[in-house]
Amino acid sequence: MKKSLASLLAGIVALGSFASVGAAAESNDPSNSGELFTSSSPISLTDQAWKAPAGANPEDKVWGYLESVKGNLSLSAKDNVRSKFQITEQKTNVKTGSQHYRLSQYISGIPVYGADQTLHIDKSGNVTSLLGSVVEDVYQSIPQPLIQLKTISGTEAISAATHDATLTYGLLGESQIAPAAQLYYFIVEGEPKLAYKTEVNVLEPEPLRIRYFISAEDGSVLFKYNILEDLTGTGTGVNGDTKTFETRLSGSTYQLYDSTRGKGIATYTAKNRTSLPGTLLTSSSNVWTDKAAVDAHAYAEKTYDYYLQHFGRNSLDNNGLQIRSTVHYYTSYNNAFWNGTQIVFGDGDGVTFKELSGDLDVVGHELTHGVTENTANLEYYGEPGALNESFSDIIGNSIEGDNWLIGDDVYTPGVAGDALRSLANPPLYNQPDKYSNRYTGTSDNGGVHTNSGINNKAFYLAAQGGTFNGVTVTGIGREDAVQIYYNALVYYLTTSSNFSAARTAVIQSATELFGAGSAQVAAVTQAYNAVGVH
Ligand code: ASN
Ligand code: ZN
Ligand code: CA
């Protein structure tokens, strides 16, 4: 059951106007609900005709004034205002000498949700205005026994909310605010109900701040909405470029969390330590200054979008898997990695690397490890390991799509034009570009970051074309090539695939996508011939 907040609060009347709560209340979008309590008519009771009896203290004035305007508050002559309202706050503005009161309407000692007021006494001691909302007269004739219908305790209401959120979002993490439940009269479609207001506030499985109104009669959910708002943040990345990305507002705190893609994209900081995922990044403004975090977040979004737009893939598992990144891992850490559940970025030592999230092909590389794990699951050792690395390079580099280099945007900040690896010319960075030159030792899991150059070169030749080792390849362009390689990774390759199996897989994939006699099949066949993989 889901009712609009408009209908829920329809029984509440703005002071003076006695009209409905206003245009904002028409909206079914719960994120607009904040307007409900500020959209009441302008100051309504500003008549200063009432004069306080001589010697009355300020609180007496509050009650005396309310008594005098009872008719405007939908109270009957026999009602005692002291039993219908309570003063909840009193503050004096030292600059003006005015006293400001906050009140709430009560029925049988229980506050009415949304029916609160402010009352103002100027420095001369005159009541100047009363603003806010009260419930209509008809709702005040609540049968006394309503409170007797209460069968649910506050603790049970909290459990009911937790249960409901768990059904929607899965197992919830630790509460960020100690759960509490307050009992109110809550107007549901004109009917006063006894309800608890409570909140589910967790960061896991995703940042949630859901406000619940739980029936005190039977524990059912009368109304709920997520207080968190989706917004677009801006920030400057590692290389000084300004960009936008999706964030969330929780209360007055912005979170580096994008709820608009799959099951979310969340960016954390390890605060230069090593526990993961660390702390969800937050900011008091939606302009973000943590450059490494800005890039990790924005590039995770770009990677998600690329997979969706180019391959129709919904995140790493094709089921919206939440993408988590942690920046500022350890100190001066010169690497980035996929740990089986999330990606992690070091800040670099400033000489070999700057913050590693500052390069889209690095982010795309690490996230592609997550795709591989969910598809071919190529063993991260020996030839399958080198293929695993190569597919991360190929797709990561194609997401950025501006050159054939890996890591050029974050590698050796003091040296211009170099990179970690090159798909076009692997030997430039000490990788083989043909099978006969492969590394056969045991370091780096049997050279996974070395022998990847062979498959990288085959991809490059298929895409770009060229004559290599006496073999001429007519290039088919990066887009066709990456479609073929992605399709091979997802459908053809297996845990133990070696280079020869990759050749077969890529040719079969090209045949599936473009046909047996196609230029694409010719290109990938010639490309593997050129790098000596048969
Ligand atoms: N950055 C490296 C990679 O993703 C980390 C590693 O050695 N696995 O390949
Ligand atoms: Zn890798
Ligand atoms: Ca790059």
Side-chain angles (χ1 to χ4, degrees):
M1 175 184 70
K2 189 159 165 86
K3 295 192 168 83
S4 80
L5 202 52
S7 67
L8 288 171
L9 295 174
I12 296 183
V13 175
L15 280 174
S17 72
F18 290 92
S20 88
V21 226
E26 307 294 316
S27 170
N28 279 334
D29 180 355
S31 64
N32 290 337
S33 60
E35 294 171 42
L36 281 170
F37 304 111
T38 56
S39 65
S40 303
S41 305
I43 296 172
S44 44
L45 300 185
T46 54
D47 180 2
Q48 295 176 29
W50 183 77
K51 289 285 171 262
N57 69 33
E59 284 209 6
D60 288 340
K61 289 182 189 175
V62 170
W63 298 120
Y65 177 83
L66 288 175
E67 195 62 42
S68 76
V69 297
K70 235 165 37 176
N72 293 339
L73 303 180
S74 314
L75 301 184
S76 70
K78 64 176 176 18
D79 283 323
N80 175 358
V81 290
R82 288 182 192 245
S83 71
K84 299 291 177 186
F85 295 91
Q86 285 187 22
I87 296 171
T88 58
E89 185 185 286
Q90 190 276 319
K91 292 244 161 77
T92 302
N93 184 333
V94 290
K95 283 192 197 140
T96 62
S98 289
Q99 295 182 59
H100 302 287
Y101 286 84
R102 288 191 178 278
L103 299 106
S104 280
Q105 187 177 3
Y106 278 69
I107 294 173
S108 313
I110 296 166
V112 181
Y113 194 74
D116 45 349
Q117 307 83 27
T118 63
L119 185 149
H120 311 272
I121 301 179
D122 68 14
K123 64 173 187 291
S124 319
N126 298 315
V127 175
T128 56
S129 54
L130 174 66
L131 287 74
S133 303
V134 292
V135 294
E136 288 178 273
D137 186 43
V138 56
Y139 304 121
Q140 295 186 44
S141 53
I142 290 169
Q144 281 303 105
L146 188 56
I147 186 71
Q148 290 166 11
L149 296 174
K150 178 165 100 68
T151 65
I152 302 291
S153 70
T155 310
E156 288 168 325
I158 292 166
S159 300
T162 306
H163 178 69
D164 181 81
T166 304
L167 289 180
T168 310
Y169 297 97
L171 203 59
L172 304 178
E174 198 189 322
S175 286
Q176 300 299 298
I177 296 177
Q182 296 93 27
L183 190 62
Y184 286 97
Y185 278 116
F186 191 63
I187 314 296
V188 183
E189 292 176 345
E191 291 294 319
K193 300 270 191 203
L194 213 46
Y196 289 99
K197 175 189 159 212
T198 186
E199 182 174 310
V200 166
N201 187 322
V202 293
L203 290 174
E204 308 290 335
E206 64 175 84
L208 296 172
R209 241 195 108 188
I210 308 174
R211 175 156 295 167
Y212 276 95
F213 296 93
I214 302 289
S215 164
E217 287 180 33
D218 59 12
S220 64
V221 177
L222 295 177
F223 191 73
K224 61 178 172 180
Y225 69 94
N226 197 345
I227 297 170
L228 302 181
E229 247 187 287
D230 295 327
L231 294 166
T232 301
T234 59
T236 303
V238 169
N239 290 300
D241 45 338
T242 299
K243 54 198 74 187
T244 61
F245 39 85
E246 304 314 309
T247 60
R248 240 186 186 184
L249 180 60
S250 172
S252 56
T253 303
Y254 296 87
Q255 299 173 325
L256 209 45
Y257 182 83
D258 173 357
S259 73
T260 68
R261 289 171 169 86
K263 293 175 186 161
I265 294 181
T267 304
Y268 296 75
T269 175
K271 298 182 179 168
N272 296 117
R273 301 184 67 88
T274 54
S275 38
L276 294 173
T279 312
L280 185 73
L281 277 150
T282 57
S283 167
S284 58
S285 113
N286 208 10
V287 179
W288 297 76
T289 53
D290 183 331
K291 295 171 169 21
V294 162
D295 278 343
H297 196 65
Y299 290 160
E301 290 178 344
K302 273 202 164 26
T303 299
Y304 177 92
D305 290 349
Y306 182 90
Y307 268 98
L308 188 64
Q309 286 159 14
H310 289 253
F311 309 132
R313 187 177 188 85
N314 178 14
S315 193
L316 311 184
D317 64 350
N318 199 20
N319 191 31
L321 182 76
Q322 187 177 103
I323 296 178
R324 281 186 191 187
S325 315
T326 298
V327 293
H328 307 306
Y329 178 79
Y330 199 43
T331 47
S332 305
Y333 184 66
N334 276 325
N335 212 341
F337 60 93
W338 162 257
N339 80 346
T341 55
Q342 67 157 103
I343 51 173
V344 182
F345 300 97
D347 289 332
D349 61 8
V351 177
T352 305
F353 279 105
K354 60 167 85 165
E355 295 88 341
L356 279 94
S357 57
D359 195 330
L360 177 54
D361 47 40
V362 172
V363 175
H365 174 108
E366 301 309 340
L367 287 172
T368 299
H369 279 311
V371 174
T372 300
E373 203 163 291
N374 279 286
T375 55
N377 197 23
L378 288 154
E379 192 72 33
Y380 204 63
Y381 197 92
E383 289 197 14
L387 290 168
N388 188 321
E389 269 304 305
S390 173
F391 278 89
S392 272
D393 277 353
I394 288 168
I395 299 177
N397 181 263
S398 295
I399 294 169
E400 188 162 24
D402 61 346
N403 59 34
W404 303 97
L405 299 172
I406 297 286
D408 49 324
D409 298 330
V410 291
Y411 187 63
T412 57
V415 182
D418 65 342
L420 192 57
R421 292 185 284 275
S422 166
L423 277 64
N425 189 7
L428 208 50
Y429 302 109
N430 303 313
Q431 288 188 297
D433 57 3
K434 49 186 174 192
Y435 192 63
S436 56
N437 285 350
R438 71 193 178 279
Y439 169 77
T440 55
T442 55
S443 69
D444 183 29
N445 290 355
V448 296
H449 293 91
T450 304
N451 292 334
S452 53
I454 299 163
N455 198 61
N456 284 354
K457 178 78 182 198
F459 171 80
Y460 166 80
L461 287 170
Q464 192 70 0
T467 299
F468 184 63
N469 285 332
V471 178
T472 297
V473 186
T474 304
I476 55 176
R478 191 195 278 275
E479 183 58 25
D480 282 359
V482 80
Q483 290 293 342
I484 293 165
Y485 275 74
Y486 170 79
N487 196 59
L489 178 69
V490 171
Y491 297 115
Y492 290 87
L493 291 165
T494 66
T495 322
S496 58
S497 295
N498 60 13
F499 279 100
S500 178
R503 173 193 167 104
T504 307
V506 170
I507 292 171
Q508 290 306 309
S509 171
T511 306
E512 176 193 344
L513 295 180
F514 296 100
S518 64
Q520 287 82 356
V521 169
V524 295
T525 304
Q526 288 297 76
Y528 280 102
N529 288 342
V531 299
V533 171
H534 298 282

